[in-house]
């Protein structure tokens, strides 16, 4: 019982990372309707870009984080411009988009491995030196607290953009039907470019936090993406709040599962939950927005 | 026209590939090739690099003395990344170059290759692998290292000598990690010591809840059995984060990682574990040569010594029986090699005999033998 607070903290930390991945994935999926595998590797690329600026070039940590986010957004823009946009022009099937995104994932992984090797890298010099806070009987580090607050902030900002700005309204229109949106004069290509930049930048934030919290390696993009996607499906694909809530729920289920069973069941528990949802509530907990 | 252009480009690439292959084959007619499967990237890269440099040091010395049977010895280094699938794939691709293999680190990589050796008529001299499953996995695998059960026994003996009543185990879910955890549990069976065990998947970066569970169980000591330095880093970092500081028993991955020990010195101070230590008068001479050639000390002394000896043993085997895999295997069956890592002989299960782990302790950031 003493450890209940700690398990909840552990769950919130894991859930926050899943939430960041789900937020970007949901946004891109909503507008493009394809499963973007590249999203996972773009998240990790954001982490490595920050690592490069901060650890190799010695740039200030906050500026490095900003540059990492920008790099992830730029990678999202480039992947859309060079691959997905031409495929859209050719009216390629969703399967082609998915395979192309898998190709991008592999290319980004390979490039990161070539530049940084496949060594595990951590962004903080020592997490032990990171300030710790004790609430009840649980311990949470400063990095993790910032991570948790960032998720809430990014979710809030995203909702604000989607609900209150013209860009948000055009994204919603494209998410409902790209064809109708085009017919009423929306430049869908440009809006989708923005979507890729914003979604990928959010993924970059996830990768950067993973780098600070636990560490990154070039091939961890896929597993990171899958947890975000499970959260996205459980919450209802395209639903911003749903994705975030489901991400935290997934974190809780996983960690209480590990507490009651064993660490080797962690991934099996997540995927069992996914299968249950796909079988009995494929629209997710909250359905579409 | 466009289609024809593509055909021409593809044709040129294919022809260039064939020419390159033929050219390289001719060039290598005066050499005997051996394939070395090492973890050159990933969580055990430093072990792979140490093995590679030591092997190359031996090969350079052998070639300087005229090579083997009038041919130069050449090592083709391949990176298995400590990944069994990758190891099997590069093993299969390398068969065209040589059927004599040596390897370093990661029991899973040897277990992935072992079933294919007989059909492929190839032989493998594996180093730095400790899983019990490797024993007798194939008559064509020779293990130049110590079995993990002996490492688990050292930890078990320490637990008993300290009179501990409740211990925890956290292991990586690999053949090596699981083997160590099971070995320790078996050793402590019926000893009255309560064991709380948990594990984590390879690549997992969040094992806080497993550690929280072990902390809540109030274990007096924790035995840590990671496969790589990367997973060791995750465990130690998250233990520090959770203020979880029991008496530590560690495996040779942590004992052999000076950077990790320096980074987590406070947590690891006093940690004990079994270490495979070379015992030979020739060892210091080898280490001096290594430093002179590479400008730095070998990071993993025993792994370096064993890789160096293994290269010499393969050369001796080829000298005696020719460069056939079966000839090398026959030679190893009765080898008695006095090298820089001590005396190497193999037992009935093709495991190195007469060697064991010695209890070591981390003191002031250094690994020292416990007298």
């Amino acid at each position: 019982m003493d450890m209940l607070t700690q398990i909840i903290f552990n769950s919130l930390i894991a859930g926050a990372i899943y939430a960041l991945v789900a937020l970007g994935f949901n946004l891109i999926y909503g507008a493009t309707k394809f499963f973007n595998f590249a999203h996972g590797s773009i998240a990790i690329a954001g982490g490595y870009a920050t690592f490069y600026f901060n650890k190799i070039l010695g740039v200030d940590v906050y500026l490095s984080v900003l540059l990492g986010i920008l790099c992830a957004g730029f990678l999202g823009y480039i992947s859309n411009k060079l691959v997905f946009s031409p495929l859209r022009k050719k009216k390629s099937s969703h399967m082609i988009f998915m395979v192309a995104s898998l190709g991008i994932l592999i290319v980004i992984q390979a490039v990161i491995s070539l530049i940084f090797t496949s060594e595990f890298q951590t962004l903080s010099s020592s997490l032990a030196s990171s300030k710790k806070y004790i609430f009840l009987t649980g311990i949470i580090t400063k990095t993790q607290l910032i991570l948790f607050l960032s998720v809430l902030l990014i979710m809030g900002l995203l909702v604000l953009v989607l609900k209150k700005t013209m860009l948000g309204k055009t994204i919603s229109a494209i998410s409902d039907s790209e064809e109708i949106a085009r017919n009423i004069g929306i430049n869908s290509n440009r809006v989708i470019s923005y979507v890729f930049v914003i979604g990928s930048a959010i993924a970059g934030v996830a990768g950067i936090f993973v780098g600070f919290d636990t560490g990154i390696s070039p091939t961890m993009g896929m597993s990171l993406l899958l947890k975000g996607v499970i959260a996205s499906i459980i919450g209802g694909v395209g639903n911003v709040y749903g994705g975030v809530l489901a991400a935290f729920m997934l974190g809780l289920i996983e960690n209480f599962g590990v507490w009651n069973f064993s660490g080797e069941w962690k991934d099996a528990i997540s995927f069992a939950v996914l299968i249950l949802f796909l079988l009995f509530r494929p629209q997710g907990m909250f359905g579409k927005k | 026209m466009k289609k024809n252009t593509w055909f021409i480009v593809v044709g040129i690439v294919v022809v260039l590939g064939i020419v390159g292959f033929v050219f390289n084959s001719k060039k290598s007619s005066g050499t005997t090739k051996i394939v070395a499967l090492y973890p050159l990237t990933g969580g055990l890269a430093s072990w792979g690099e140490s093995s590679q440099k030591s092997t190359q040091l031996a090969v350079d010395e052998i070639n300087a003395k005229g090579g083997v049977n009038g041919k130069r010895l050449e090592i083709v280094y391949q990176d298995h990344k400590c990944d069994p699938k990758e190891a099997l794939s590069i093993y299969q691709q390398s068969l065209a170059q040589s059927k004599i293999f040596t390897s370093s680190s990661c029991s899973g990589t040897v277990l992935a290759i072992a079933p294919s050796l007989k059909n492929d008529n190839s032989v493998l001299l594996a180093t730095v692998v400790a899983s019990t499953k490797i024993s007798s996995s194939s008559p064509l695998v020779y293990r130049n290292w110590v079995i993990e059960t002996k490492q688990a026994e050292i930890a078990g003996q320490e637990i008993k000598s300290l009179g501990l009543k409740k211990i925890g185990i956290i292991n990586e879910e690999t053949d090596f990690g699981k083997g160590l955890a099971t070995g320790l549990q078996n050793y402590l069976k019926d000893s009255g010591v309560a064991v709380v065990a948990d594990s984590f998947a390879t690549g997992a970066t969040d094992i806080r809840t497993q550690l929280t569970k072990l902390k809540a169980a109030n274990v007096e000591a924790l035995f840590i059995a990671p496969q790589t330095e990367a997973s060791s880093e995750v465990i130690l970092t998250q233990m520090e984060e959770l203020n979880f500081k029991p008496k530590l028993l560690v495996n040779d991955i942590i004992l052999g990682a000076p950077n990790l020990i320096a980074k987590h010195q406070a947590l690891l101070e006093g940690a004990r574990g079994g270490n495979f230590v070379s015992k030979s008068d020739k060892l210091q001479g080898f280490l001096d040569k290594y430093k002179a050639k590479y400008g730095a000390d070998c990071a993993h002394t025993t792994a370096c010594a064993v890789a160096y000896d293994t290269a010499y043993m393969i050369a001796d085997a080829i000298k005696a029986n020719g460069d056939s895999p079966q000839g090398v295997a026959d030679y190893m069956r009765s080898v008695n090699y006095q090298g820089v890592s001590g005396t190497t002989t193999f037992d009935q299960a093709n495991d190195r005999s007469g060697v064991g782990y010695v209890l070591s302790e981390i003191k002031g950031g250094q690994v020292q033998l416990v007298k």
Side-chain angles (χ1 to χ4, degrees):
Chain A
M1 200 58 197
D2 276 357
M3 292 295 160
L4 180 67
T5 323
Q6 188 63 58
I7 301 295
I8 292 172
F9 283 170
N10 296 348
S11 308
L12 293 179
I13 297 158
I17 297 285
Y18 303 158
L20 284 172
V21 178
L23 274 172
F25 179 84
N26 260 340
L27 190 68
I28 295 173
Y29 183 88
T32 59
K33 304 288 183 291
F34 78 92
F35 192 115
N36 184 13
F37 279 106
H39 197 67
S41 59
I42 287 174
I44 296 302
Y48 270 98
T50 302
F51 174 81
Y52 176 74
F53 289 114
N54 182 233
K55 294 280 177 177
I56 298 176
L57 297 186
V59 176
D60 171 72
V61 66
Y62 296 104
L63 184 59
S64 299
V65 167
L66 183 66
L67 290 169
I69 296 169
L70 290 175
C71 283
F74 181 68
L75 263 179
Y77 173 79
I78 288 287
S79 67
N80 176 53
K81 195 80 182 164
L82 296 183
V83 181
F84 301 128
S85 183
L87 288 177
R88 259 196 312 280
K89 277 181 193 150
K90 288 183 177 180
K91 300 196 183 302
S92 301
S93 68
H94 288 165
M95 178 60 87
I96 301 284
F97 274 91
M98 205 170 81
V99 172
S101 73
L102 190 60
I104 296 172
L105 171 109
I106 292 166
V107 168
I108 293 175
Q109 269 183 198
V111 170
I112 293 174
S113 295
L114 279 172
I115 299 173
F116 300 99
T117 77
S118 49
E119 293 287 311
F120 187 77
Q121 309 282 8
T122 51
L123 277 167
S124 56
S125 55
S126 170
L127 281 177
S129 64
S130 175
K131 197 173 177 185
K132 292 177 196 169
Y133 302 99
I134 299 174
F135 295 105
L136 300 172
T137 51
I139 300 168
I140 192 163
T141 66
K142 190 177 167 187
T143 309
Q144 292 157 357
L145 200 61
I146 295 172
L147 161 67
F148 183 67
L149 295 174
S150 300
V151 173
L152 300 181
L153 181 72
I154 290 169
M155 184 183 78
L157 282 174
L158 194 61
V159 169
L160 216 63
V161 168
L162 291 175
K163 301 277 180 203
K164 302 286 180 192
T165 66
M166 186 51 76
L167 175 65
K169 283 170 187 161
T170 53
I171 291 172
S172 296
I174 289 171
S175 298
D176 290 339
S177 168
E178 192 188 342
E179 204 176 330
I180 294 172
R182 264 205 313 267
N183 288 342
I184 59 168
I186 293 173
N187 184 343
S188 67
N189 276 334
R190 200 168 66 186
V191 175
I192 288 174
S193 277
Y194 290 140
V195 164
F196 267 96
V197 171
I198 297 168
S200 301
I202 296 173
V205 176
I208 293 164
F209 272 116
V210 171
F212 275 108
D213 186 35
T214 58
I216 43 174
S217 65
T219 52
M220 66 194 289
M222 181 63 102
S223 58
L224 187 63
L225 173 72
L226 287 178
K227 292 294 173 69
V229 171
I230 294 174
S232 177
I233 292 171
I234 294 174
V237 179
N239 188 318
V240 174
Y241 303 110
V244 171
L245 277 174
F248 286 117
M249 199 185 89
L250 183 64
L252 284 164
I253 292 171
E254 265 187 0
N255 283 284
F256 277 97
V258 170
W259 177 263
N260 286 305
F261 303 107
S262 158
E264 61 190 344
W265 290 97
K266 191 174 182 180
D267 288 342
I269 291 165
S270 312
F271 283 95
V273 171
L274 172 69
I275 290 167
L276 285 176
F277 266 89
L278 289 175
L279 283 174
F280 301 109
R281 197 168 165 83
Q283 74 275 31
M285 284 193 299
F286 306 99
K288 284 193 178 179
K289 62 192 162 146
Chain B
M1 185 61 192
K2 205 176 172 186
K3 213 174 198 177
N4 287 342
T5 312
W6 275 110
F7 274 123
I8 290 166
V9 170
V10 171
I12 289 170
V13 170
V14 170
V15 169
L16 283 176
I18 293 169
V19 168
F21 179 80
V22 171
F23 177 74
N24 278 327
S25 301
K26 282 191 175 172
K27 198 174 75 175
S28 62
S29 62
T31 63
T32 300
K33 285 186 180 177
I34 295 162
V35 179
L37 308 172
Y38 293 159
L40 299 174
T41 57
L44 284 183
S46 71
W47 291 77
E49 189 192 347
S50 295
S51 299
Q52 183 183 26
K53 285 179 171 171
S54 307
T55 302
Q56 196 55 48
L57 178 59
V59 168
D60 289 347
E61 288 172 0
I62 293 163
N63 286 335
K65 290 175 199 158
V68 182
N69 298 340
K71 288 183 179 179
R72 283 179 61 78
L73 202 58
E74 184 188 333
I75 309 287
V76 180
Y77 297 101
Q78 298 279 13
D79 179 14
H80 64 52
K81 302 184 176 86
C82 198
D83 176 356
K85 289 196 293 287
E86 181 74 18
L88 183 59
S89 168
I90 57 172
Y91 157 78
Q92 288 164 340
Q93 288 164 25
S94 305
L95 281 168
Q97 302 194 66
S98 176
K99 294 204 169 190
I100 302 169
F101 289 81
T102 181
S103 76
S104 172
S105 310
C106 307
S107 298
T109 62
V110 174
L111 292 167
I113 294 167
S116 306
L117 293 169
K118 199 174 175 187
N119 277 346
D120 298 332
N121 183 32
S122 49
V123 66
L124 171 64
L125 271 94
T127 68
V128 202
V129 281
S131 170
T132 47
K133 290 184 190 171
I134 292 173
S135 306
S136 305
S137 59
S138 162
L140 293 161
V141 171
Y142 286 83
R143 182 223 307 262
N144 192 356
W145 201 253
V146 191
I147 307 175
E148 66 198 355
T149 44
K150 293 180 182 172
Q151 196 176 158
E153 278 170 24
I154 290 261
Q157 285 160 6
E158 181 66 7
I159 289 162
K160 282 184 181 174
S161 73
L162 289 170
L164 303 176
K165 293 288 168 223
K166 193 177 194 183
I167 64 127
I169 299 175
I170 181 93
N171 70 277
E172 188 165 348
E173 287 162 24
T174 58
D175 289 304
F176 174 58
K178 273 184 185 173
L180 279 177
T182 312
L184 181 57
Q185 281 171 308
N186 289 339
Y187 186 85
L188 294 175
K189 205 185 279 174
D190 305 324
S191 67
V193 178
V195 177
V196 183
D198 213 321
S199 61
F200 59 95
T202 296
T205 53
D206 179 4
I207 53 168
R208 293 184 183 95
T209 297
Q210 289 94 315
L211 294 170
T212 304
K213 208 160 129 181
L214 291 161
K215 186 181 176 185
N218 287 320
V219 294
E220 293 167 86
L222 180 68
F223 178 58
I224 306 177
Q227 173 76 55
T228 64
E229 287 177 24
S231 49
S232 310
E233 168 75 24
V234 172
I235 299 171
L236 298 172
T237 301
Q238 293 182 6
M239 282 182 72
E240 285 169 343
E241 198 183 296
L242 294 166
N243 279 343
F244 181 31
K245 296 168 183 170
K247 158 101 188 140
L248 285 184
L249 296 157
V250 296
N251 68 359
D252 54 349
I253 297 294
I254 293 178
L255 289 173
N259 292 339
L260 206 67
I261 293 171
K263 189 172 176 187
H264 302 280
Q265 196 179 331
L267 182 67
L268 286 170
E269 185 66 20
R272 288 185 168 193
N275 216 5
F276 175 25
V277 180
S278 301
K279 287 174 189 162
S280 167
D281 297 340
K282 299 175 186 172
L283 179 64
Q284 195 52 52
F286 157 71
L287 294 174
D288 291 343
K289 278 192 286 186
Y290 184 101
K291 192 171 183 179
K293 185 173 172 79
Y294 299 112
D297 288 320
C298 161
H300 307 283
T301 306
T302 310
C304 286
V306 166
Y308 181 82
D309 281 351
T310 302
Y312 266 104
M313 283 159 59
I314 292 174
D316 287 353
I318 295 171
K319 259 183 215 164
N321 294 348
D323 60 1
S324 76
Q326 194 55 53
V328 173
D330 290 343
Y331 181 87
M332 295 302 162
R333 207 158 292 135
S334 56
V335 74
N336 187 327
Y337 184 76
Q338 306 296 320
V340 299
S341 69
T343 303
T344 306
T345 55
F346 294 103
D347 62 18
Q348 292 296 311
N350 291 358
D351 292 326
R352 181 166 174 170
S353 49
V355 285
Y357 288 94
V358 288
L359 185 64
S360 305
E361 180 176 335
I362 298 171
K363 255 187 181 171
Q366 301 294 320
V367 179
Q368 299 174 359
L369 295 184
V370 176
K371 287 173 188 165

